């Protein structure tokens, strides 16, 4: 799910953008100024900003330049200032796209999806160190639909749990995008609530903990998805 902050001081326009982007499956927060944006960034990490230029206090050009110097966050400028000089200034300041009001929300949605896709493609793959340090690996028993813990416990898996673990253990230590997890669960990409994926992971961790007393090494990877952060072998219960 794409996470967006809309920085816009017009409450009616901002509310309309928030409603539309939320309806198409994005997680959206709002800020009415650079100061409010800075406060929000302490608790929420967006994939990109939709940024107005004419804001109270610090203007959008200055905000874009300041953030670009310290962050790779995507920036879509949405403003009534459509002169060539303004466009050049916005793009030079660090905006990835520059849209002029009024804009059709479908166009804004398309630009956001395009930018989010480019950001994912250029982001270096995050891989977790999974050295065993003398400990036995986990086992994934595809034939019997079960997970085998390092201490020899067998945990039977439901269909959804099997699909999730099959995806995560295909390359242990490599991050798996939420979109790939949604696909593994048979859900339509873009139409599946991120919180549902988080709930599946939480239930799976709890199930393993209760059944075996061992902690399932599934970790969240910010802005990407999840990773199985331990060695995994394809084996069966008879091999334990």
């Amino acid at each position: 799910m794409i996470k967006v902050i809309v920085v816009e001081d017009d409450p009616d326009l901002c509310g309309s953008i928030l409603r539309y982007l939320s309806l198409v499956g994005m997680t959206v927060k709002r800020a009415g100024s650079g100061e409010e944006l800075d406060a929000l960034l302490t608790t929420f990490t967006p994939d990109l900003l939709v940024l107005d230029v004419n804001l109270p206090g610090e203007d959008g050009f200055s905000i874009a330049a300041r953030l670009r110097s310290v962050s790779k966050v995507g920036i879509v400028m949405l403003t009534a200032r459509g002169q060539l000089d303004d466009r050049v200034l916005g793009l030079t300041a660090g905006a990835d796209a520059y849209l002029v009001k009024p804009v059709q929300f479908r166009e804004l949605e398309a630009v956001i999806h395009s930018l989010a896709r480019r950001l994912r493609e250029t982001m270096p793959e995050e891989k977790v160190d999974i050295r065993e340090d003398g400990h036995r690996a986990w086992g994934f028993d595809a034939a019997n639909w079960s997970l085998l813990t390092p201490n020899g416990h067998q945990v039977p898996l439901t269909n959804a749990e099997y699909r999730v673990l099959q995806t995560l253990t295909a390359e242990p230590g490599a991050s798996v995008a939420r979109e790939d997890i949604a696909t593994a669960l048979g859900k339509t990409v873009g139409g599946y609530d991120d919180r549902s994926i988080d709930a599946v992971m939480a239930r799976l961790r709890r199930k393993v903990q209760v059944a075996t007393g061992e902690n399932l090494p599934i970790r969240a990877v910010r802005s990407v998805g999840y990773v199985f952060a331990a060695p995994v072998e394809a084996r069966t219960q008879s091999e334990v």
Side-chain angles (χ1 to χ4, degrees), residues 102-117:
V103 67
Q104 294 291 324
F105 289 165
R106 288 179 59 195
E107 181 184 3
L108 175 61
E109 177 192 359
V111 169
I112 289 173
H113 276 292
S114 176
L115 177 55
R117 183 167 56 250

Side-chain angles (χ1 to χ4, degrees), residues 174-226:
S175 58
V176 178
R178 288 177 179 273
E179 290 85 350
D180 294 331
I181 296 171
T183 299
L185 289 168
K187 306 298 181 179
T188 301
V189 176
Y192 195 52
D193 190 339
D194 257 13
R195 288 169 294 187
S196 298
I197 292 177
D198 295 336
V200 170
M201 298 301 179
R203 287 196 300 269
L204 187 52
R205 289 194 195 101
R206 186 164 56 249
K207 176 179 180 177
V208 173
Q209 174 64 38
V210 170
T212 70
E214 298 180 65
N215 294 321
L216 185 63
I218 292 179
R219 298 180 189 169
V221 181
R222 189 174 65 181
S223 301
V224 179
Y226 283 89

Side-chain angles (χ1 to χ4, degrees), residues 164-175:
V164 167
L165 283 172
Q166 185 180 46
T167 303
L168 290 174
T169 60
E171 188 179 352
S175 58

Side-chain angles (χ1 to χ4, degrees), residues 40-234:
L40 183 56
L41 287 173
T42 63
T43 59
F44 181 76
T45 302
D47 298 304
L48 56 88
L49 310 177
V50 175
L51 179 63
D52 189 15
V53 171
N54 296 322
L55 295 166
E58 186 180 17
D59 68 32
F61 295 137
S62 174
I63 293 171
R66 175 166 59 84
L67 291 181
R68 181 56 69 232
S69 68
V70 297
S71 171
K72 294 182 179 180
V73 66
I75 299 175
V76 178
M77 284 201 156
L78 178 60
T79 174
R81 295 173 60 168
Q83 297 296 318
L84 176 59
D85 287 347
D86 293 319
R87 291 174 180 270
V88 171
L89 181 57
L91 295 171
T92 302
D96 299 285
Y98 195 103
L99 299 177
V100 179
K101 301 174 184 176
V103 67
Q104 294 291 324
F105 289 165
R106 288 179 59 195
E107 181 184 3
L108 175 61
E109 177 192 359
V111 169
I112 289 173
H113 276 292
S114 176
L115 177 55
R117 183 167 56 250
R118 294 203 309 270
L119 291 172
R120 284 196 299 268
E121 290 172 352
T122 58
M123 183 182 299
E125 182 180 9
E126 182 167 344
K127 193 151 185 175
V128 176
D129 185 357
I130 58 169
R131 289 174 298 177
E132 293 190 46
D133 295 331
H135 297 289
R136 293 193 62 189
W138 290 71
F140 183 67
D141 185 350
N144 295 305
W145 284 39
S146 62
L147 181 70
L148 307 173
T149 75
N151 289 332
H153 297 103
Q154 182 180 28
V155 182
L157 303 172
T158 66
N159 180 52
E161 293 164 352
Y162 173 88
R163 289 170 178 245
V164 167
L165 283 172
Q166 185 180 46
T167 303
L168 290 174
T169 60
E171 188 179 352
S175 58
V176 178
R178 288 177 179 273
E179 290 85 350
D180 294 331
I181 296 171
T183 299
L185 289 168
K187 306 298 181 179
T188 301
V189 176
Y192 195 52
D193 190 339
D194 257 13
R195 288 169 294 187
S196 298
I197 292 177
D198 295 336
V200 170
M201 298 301 179
R203 287 196 300 269
L204 187 52
R205 289 194 195 101
R206 186 164 56 249
K207 176 179 180 177
V208 173
Q209 174 64 38
V210 170
T212 70
E214 298 180 65
N215 294 321
L216 185 63
I218 292 179
R219 298 180 189 169
V221 181
R222 189 174 65 181
S223 301
V224 179
Y226 283 89
V227 61
F228 197 96
V232 182
E233 299 173 352

